[in-house]
Amino acid sequence: MIRKAVIPAAGLGTRFLPATKAQPKEMLPIIDTPTIQYVVQEAVNSGIEDILIITGKGKRAIEDHFDRNFELEERLLQKEDEMYNEIMKLSDMANLYFIRQKEMAGLGDAIMYARQHTGDEPFAVLLGDTIIDSVMPVTQQLMDMYNQYQSSIIAVETVPADKVNRYGIVGGKRISDSILQLDQFVEKPTIEAAPSDLAIAGRYILTPGIFRALDETPKGKNNELQLTDALTNLLKREKVFSHTFEGKRYDIGNKLDFLKTNVEFALKHTEFATPFLSFLKEIVATYKD
């Protein structure tokens, strides 16, 4: 049973400078909701209420977002604002814990900070800058797979062949339409070197064995400890599977994808989807002229 989740959210967000000089990239809003709130909500919707968020320097806004703000709450209550209930829900979403990654030393290093929190239990990992829209939460999908295989499970998605060099790519033996038993991880391979077109999608269920694997994994480029390298070591002792999830992933790691995500979510928003679509059509018509 998976009871705990870890959300790494310590990255500097340099692609969004100057906006992220004083604001965490995970707090950049999709319409009116910070990216990381979607991620926490996915864990909660999957039945996980014990969540460790790994932050870094300049990330205090994440803690403040999920904390109580008595002055704001009182003001909304007096005004009988409908947002009062929404704001109150934030601090009650889950049992949230925070720890600061002391230096930017890679995703593997960030996961190491979860060792005391997760102990000898398997746990979920959800990257703090990746939203996945799905009918069943992807973390729940992975938890169901874990219950069957009792091994680490990694969410993957199919990507175009000419884009495999942007991702960590997995390879292995197909068990079913959506499941592979993995035998290799290749970080940002060339088209020729890619073992498949399945890219790691920012969601994992990891066994406690990952910590021994991380201990045994040397730091690589830029003196960073990579999770994919540790997973390669984990394969020496344990089975690791991938699951091609059902849903759509939104990577908020670059400006163009961030803009696209806001547009798509706006078109799903009941409050203003119709007028916003009319606006987009007008803009497109203008540029066609």
Side-chain angles (χ1 to χ4, degrees), residues 2 6 12 60 79 83 86 89 94 106 126 128 134 145 153 176 188 202 223 238 252 273-274 276 284-286:
I2 309 299
V6 175
L12 294 174
R60 181 61 185 269
K79 292 172 61 178
M83 282 302 299
E86 293 299 316
K89 287 178 184 177
L126 303 85
S134 57
M145 293 297 102
I153 311 282
S176 70
K188 298 180 179 179
N223 201 36
E238 300 181 11
I252 319 300
T274 299
F276 185 62
V284 171
T286 300

Side-chain angles (χ1 to χ4, degrees), residues 42 132 134 136-143 155 203 245-246:
E42 179 187 327
I132 301 181
S134 57
M136 176 186 286
V138 171
T139 298
Q140 179 67 63
Q141 295 177 36
L142 296 182
M143 289 165 63
R203 299 290 188 271
F245 65 86
E246 298 178 10

Side-chain angles (χ1 to χ4, degrees), residues 22 132 168 176-177 216-217 240 255 287:
I132 301 181
S176 70
D177 289 344
E216 297 173 348
T217 302
V240 180
K255 296 173 186 176
Y287 276 88

Side-chain angles (χ1 to χ4, degrees), residues 5-42:
V6 175
I7 301 178
L12 294 174
T14 54
R15 293 179 182 176
F16 283 92
L17 287 170
T20 49
K21 182 175 182 292
Q23 173 179 312
K25 67 175 180 177
E26 296 84 5
M27 287 298 295
L28 293 173
I30 305 303
I31 312 302
D32 56 2
T33 302
T35 298
I36 196 165
Q37 185 175 327
Y38 287 101
V39 179
V40 171
Q41 189 66 60
E42 179 187 327

Side-chain angles (χ1 to χ4, degrees), residues 239-259:
K239 293 179 180 179
V240 180
F241 297 87
S242 71
H243 169 59
T244 305
F245 65 86
E246 298 178 10
K248 182 171 182 178
R249 182 178 67 91
Y250 296 90
D251 185 350
I252 319 300
N254 65 75
K255 296 173 186 176
L256 180 58
D257 286 340
F258 175 73
L259 292 171

